[in-house]
Amino acid sequence: MWDPGKTVVAIIAAYKAVKCGYQMAIMAPTSILAMQHLESFSEVLSKFGIRCELLISNMTAKKKREVLENIKSGNIDVVIGTHSILQENVEFKNLGLVITDEQHRFGVNQRKIISEKGKNVDKIVMTATPIPRTLALILYGDLDISVIDELPPNRKIIDTFAVPLSMESRVNNFIKDQIKMGRQAYIVCPLVEENEDIDAKSVIELFENYKNQVFNEYKVEYIHGKLKQKEKDHIMEEFKEGKIDILISTTVIEVGVNVPNASVMVVQNAERFGLATLHQLRGRVGRRRI
């Protein structure tokens, strides 16, 4: 069972749009998040006869052709996808609503392209981190704003601590205690590989150290933006299923990943990340119900 939040707002909007005779599209920045949305939307909307479908790059050619035909004919009510929705061959019969999730991960032109696939399309943008352009649109009255200013019910409060490197062994012991309790952990680094010019932790360096020494009794894996999308999706799926105890990553995990069992995150060299990124990262933990 997933918790209500931005997603439930999108589901209600989708229901209303479809019942008014329109199709609806939701664009997410990653395949994992798109698949997550499909699961949530289908769980609720299928009960009302609303047909939801996925459109992402790593689909078979046959499946993609079938989905495109059904979108064009109107047999699909809700299309959930990644940048694949922006392609020219994606034609809607009657698109009336577009929702962009994690909108700071999409450019202005990309949001414009999908909006032009229908006539007078209504638009909703969702994010925990508004970009300056969005804030300006709100300020000058060109964009209405709705704020969710409370946690979903039964969520545990997230405690955040800034600790020096001298406490590293204590932090590692805390991670071990969490894993023994059946939880999982994220470790976030600013670099993919070691760089002589930058004094900061890297994913590959930390992975080797953790896998072979510090956490050699646990399943440790890594993920970063240079991996192929298929590899990233596979690793995230394994982490979500609890097959990985510790995931070492760059900021690729900052948006949309919902792993309620992950209870702790260590951000290495936190001074190298902006406040918006730290806020997004912080939202990846504490998603488990009490």
Side-chain angles (χ1 to χ4, degrees):
M1 179 65 184
W2 47 277
D3 282 321
K6 291 182 296 177
T7 306
V8 80
V9 174
I11 291 172
I12 292 168
Y15 173 84
K16 187 171 182 181
V18 173
K19 290 304 178 181
C20 288
Y22 296 97
Q23 288 172 295
M24 175 268 192
I26 177 164
M27 193 161 63
T30 66
S31 298
I32 285 285
L33 182 53
M35 289 187 282
Q36 209 166 269
H37 279 323
L38 178 67
E39 190 179 322
S40 301
F41 275 66
S42 298
E43 182 185 338
V44 178
L45 298 178
S46 60
K47 300 169 187 173
F48 303 99
I50 294 174
R51 296 151 296 184
C52 304
E53 190 54 85
L54 191 68
L55 184 61
I56 55 178
S57 58
N58 55 342
M59 296 171 69
T60 62
K62 182 181 177 182
K63 177 64 176 176
K64 189 172 282 188
R65 280 196 301 272
E66 182 186 319
V67 171
L68 291 174
E69 286 169 10
N70 284 326
I71 293 172
K72 190 174 181 179
S73 65
N75 289 330
I76 293 174
D77 302 307
V78 177
V79 182
I80 302 166
T82 54
H83 296 76
S84 298
I85 297 179
L86 302 173
Q87 295 174 355
E88 284 185 27
N89 60 348
V90 181
E91 298 177 49
F92 289 83
K93 183 180 181 182
N94 189 22
L95 182 64
L97 174 66
V98 169
I99 295 180
T100 308
D101 195 13
E102 305 295 354
Q103 59 107 11
H104 60 286
R105 295 290 292 270
F106 296 96
V108 175
N109 288 337
Q110 290 175 325
R111 297 201 295 274
K112 183 182 177 186
I113 288 168
I114 191 170
S115 297
E116 289 175 346
K117 290 182 180 289
K119 296 180 180 178
N120 298 318
V121 173
D122 287 325
K123 297 176 279 290
I124 296 176
V125 294
M126 305 195 303
T127 183
T129 313
I131 58 176
R133 181 179 180 275
T134 301
L135 295 173
L137 288 171
I138 293 167
L139 184 65
Y140 290 106
D142 297 321
L143 189 68
D144 292 328
I145 181 173
S146 296
V147 178
I148 301 174
D149 59 0
E150 59 184 0
L151 289 171
N154 302 318
R155 279 278 188 92
K156 193 173 181 180
I157 298 297
I158 304 165
D159 292 321
T160 307
F161 302 96
V163 297
L165 281 173
S166 59
M167 292 180 66
E168 188 172 12
S169 61
R170 187 172 168 183
V171 170
N172 291 341
N173 286 332
F174 178 74
I175 293 172
K176 288 178 181 178
D177 289 341
Q178 290 292 303
I179 295 173
K180 287 173 185 174
M181 291 167 61
R183 306 283 190 261
Q184 294 161 276
Y186 293 102
I187 312 291
V188 181
C189 302
L191 301 177
V192 174
E193 297 175 306
E194 216 172 338
N195 188 319
E196 292 179 1
D197 300 323
I198 302 174
D199 183 21
K201 294 287 178 70
S202 70
V203 169
I204 304 301
E205 173 194 15
L206 215 61
F207 170 71
E208 295 297 335
N209 182 33
Y210 279 11
K211 182 183 179 183
N212 300 320
Q213 296 181 46
V214 184
F215 296 104
N216 56 7
E217 69 266 46
Y218 302 113
K219 174 66 174 172
V220 181
E221 194 51 85
Y222 70 86
I223 185 172
H224 55 72
K226 291 183 179 180
L227 295 176
K228 292 179 181 177
Q229 188 61 49
K230 194 173 182 180
E231 289 178 279
K232 288 189 283 188
D233 291 345
H234 175 70
I235 291 166
M236 283 312 308
E237 197 59 41
E238 287 215 317
F239 188 63
K240 190 177 177 183
E241 291 174 2
K243 296 176 182 177
I244 297 169
D245 299 310
I246 300 171
L247 184 63
I248 304 171
S249 170
T250 54
T251 55
V252 293
I253 53 97
E254 78 172 85
V255 293
V257 179
N258 184 27
V259 184
N261 196 47
S263 61
V264 59
M265 173 181 285
V266 177
V267 181
Q268 299 281 355
N269 301 106
E271 74 280 358
R272 290 188 168 271
F273 299 96
L275 286 176
T277 297
L278 291 172
H279 178 63
Q280 285 281 357
L281 288 171
R282 192 168 173 266
R284 297 309 102 211
V285 292
R287 304 178 75 89
R288 186 186 183 95
R289 290 189 176 195
I290 298 172

